[in-house]
Amino acid sequence: MFYNLYWKFIKKNWKAYIIYFIVLAAIPLNNTILPHYYGEIINLLKKGDFNDGKVSFIILLGVWILIQIFNLTSSYLNTYLMPKFQSFIRQYFFNKIIESYSENFRELELGHIIAKIIRSPGIVQNIFVEIRDFVFQNTLIILSNFIYLTSHNKQLGMVFLASIVVIYLLSLWYYKSCNGYIKKTEEAYDSVHEQIQDTLQNLLSIYTCQKAGDEKDRVKEFNKITNKSQVETGNCNNKFRIIYSIVYIIIFIALNYTAYKLYRSGAIKLDAIVSIFIINYSIFNELSQFYYDAHSFMNVYTKVNHITKFIE
């Protein structure tokens, strides 16, 4: 469901997305090409080769300017696509609600519906951002770094690929472990909104029967359930944050140790290892963000599925 919606939107705006996918080239340029040329300049300056150093600096500057142009273009495209995407999703949700109740008419669960409508703008915006950041950007970063490291030595590329597989499996474990808590929290939110909606619709009878205190206590109990669900979700997230951190450190050590070992065996030259160490540091920074990307993506994915299952 999640991907089908986004794919429909891409097909409706395919011309803009052709440009969008082209400017995504800024990602490998920034994460692979720039660190490579930084290493190249350091090596040339160490050798005293200032002429080639100037050429590399000019190339580095040209790549940096190209990245800025791509980023600016991406920013304009986001300004154009984001409102269209929000309208597209909102219209889809509204149409689904109308169609679902027309085929099987029943009393509207206004609290649940209003809760979803209230939260939908933020969720819709997050769908757009998370698909861009988690899916597109991470895919390009992984591919560009894998190609670069493999071009220097296949063993180095295999170690990097194995690291990505480990992180992917960890992310699956993370999703399966914490996804249920997010669903539970969403259901708790819906219940609280339903109770508030019910209370506000019956205020006159509540005042007449002098039940205001009872209503406050009733909603307070539902808030306690919501708070408990949020704490459980947070504890699950924190557990995996620790696991991700340990895995990052192991990967960082493995990549740099492999590069050092290959250098000592003569499989990699000194010129190359400087660039590789810089790339490895860049990889470590990117991997450090992967937990947050996975966390945000899982939240958005679960919330969208929760909404679509409710209205279908």
Side-chain angles (χ1 to χ4, degrees), residues 88-99:
F88 173 78
I89 297 294
R90 279 196 300 266
Q91 189 65 46
Y92 173 82
F93 286 160
F94 180 76
N95 291 348
K96 268 291 183 183
I97 291 172
I98 298 298
E99 291 167 8

Side-chain angles (χ1 to χ4, degrees), residues 2-210:
F2 185 86
Y3 297 106
N4 289 339
L5 277 175
Y6 198 77
W7 180 242
K8 286 179 183 178
F9 180 74
I10 289 176
K11 286 194 290 186
K12 287 186 69 174
N13 300 273
W14 63 271
K15 292 180 181 178
Y17 267 92
I18 288 175
I19 302 172
Y20 187 73
F21 288 130
I22 291 171
V23 299
L24 283 175
I27 296 168
L29 288 174
N30 188 54
N31 289 278
T32 305
I33 304 302
L34 278 185
H36 167 76
Y37 275 103
Y38 277 123
E40 188 76 17
I41 289 170
I42 291 170
N43 287 324
L44 290 170
L45 292 178
K46 280 184 177 180
K47 293 177 180 178
D49 192 347
F50 294 102
N51 289 329
D52 286 345
K54 288 178 183 178
V55 172
S56 292
F57 177 77
I58 291 171
I59 293 172
L60 180 70
L61 182 62
V63 171
W64 186 84
I65 292 171
L66 187 60
I67 289 170
Q68 302 312 308
I69 293 170
F70 281 171
N71 286 339
L72 184 61
T73 305
S74 178
S75 179
Y76 275 106
L77 281 171
N78 287 335
T79 303
Y80 167 75
L81 289 171
M82 178 72 78
K84 292 191 71 174
F85 185 67
Q86 289 179 327
S87 298
F88 173 78
I89 297 294
R90 279 196 300 266
Q91 189 65 46
Y92 173 82
F93 286 160
F94 180 76
N95 291 348
K96 268 291 183 183
I97 291 172
I98 298 298
E99 291 167 8
S100 297
Y101 283 95
S102 67
E103 294 172 2
N104 183 23
F105 184 77
R106 59 191 184 277
E107 187 177 349
L108 294 175
E109 298 176 75
L110 289 178
H112 287 258
I113 293 173
I114 289 171
K116 288 168 176 57
I117 292 173
I118 289 171
R119 297 204 302 276
S120 66
I123 293 172
V124 167
Q125 182 171 341
N126 286 338
I127 297 171
F128 187 88
V129 172
E130 291 308 322
I131 289 179
R132 181 193 67 195
D133 293 349
F134 185 75
V135 179
F136 295 152
Q137 290 192 13
N138 282 318
T139 299
L140 285 173
I141 288 169
I142 290 168
L143 284 174
S144 59
N145 286 327
F146 174 71
I147 292 169
Y148 181 82
L149 293 174
T150 304
S151 68
H152 282 287
N153 188 278
K154 288 183 180 179
Q155 184 181 344
L156 198 57
M158 289 300 106
V159 171
F160 173 72
L161 188 61
S163 302
I164 297 303
V165 171
V166 169
I167 291 176
Y168 176 74
L169 293 174
L170 175 59
S171 298
L172 282 179
W173 181 27
Y174 178 31
Y175 174 78
K176 290 180 179 179
S177 299
C178 297
N179 180 49
Y181 292 111
I182 298 172
K183 287 181 181 177
K184 187 178 176 182
T185 301
E186 286 299 302
E187 289 167 1
Y189 281 141
D190 290 345
S191 296
V192 168
H193 282 90
E194 185 69 34
Q195 297 307 314
I196 292 172
Q197 173 73 23
D198 181 61
T199 299
L200 295 177
Q201 282 184 324
N202 297 284
L203 274 179
L204 184 59
S205 62
I206 289 169
Y207 291 145
T208 303
C209 299
Q210 297 182 343

Side-chain angles (χ1 to χ4, degrees), residues 181-247:
Y181 292 111
I182 298 172
K183 287 181 181 177
K184 187 178 176 182
T185 301
E186 286 299 302
E187 289 167 1
Y189 281 141
D190 290 345
S191 296
V192 168
H193 282 90
E194 185 69 34
Q195 297 307 314
I196 292 172
Q197 173 73 23
D198 181 61
T199 299
L200 295 177
Q201 282 184 324
N202 297 284
L203 274 179
L204 184 59
S205 62
I206 289 169
Y207 291 145
T208 303
C209 299
Q210 297 182 343
K211 295 289 185 180
D214 293 339
E215 290 299 313
K216 289 179 182 178
D217 291 337
R218 188 168 65 87
V219 173
K220 185 184 290 184
E221 288 302 313
F222 277 97
N223 273 324
K224 286 180 181 179
I225 295 171
T226 304
N227 291 342
K228 183 182 177 183
S229 297
Q230 287 177 302
V231 170
E232 289 174 343
T233 303
N235 286 336
C236 188
N237 290 330
N238 290 333
K239 180 182 76 173
F240 277 90
R241 180 69 184 92
I242 294 169
I243 297 171
Y244 269 97
S245 297
I246 294 169
V247 170

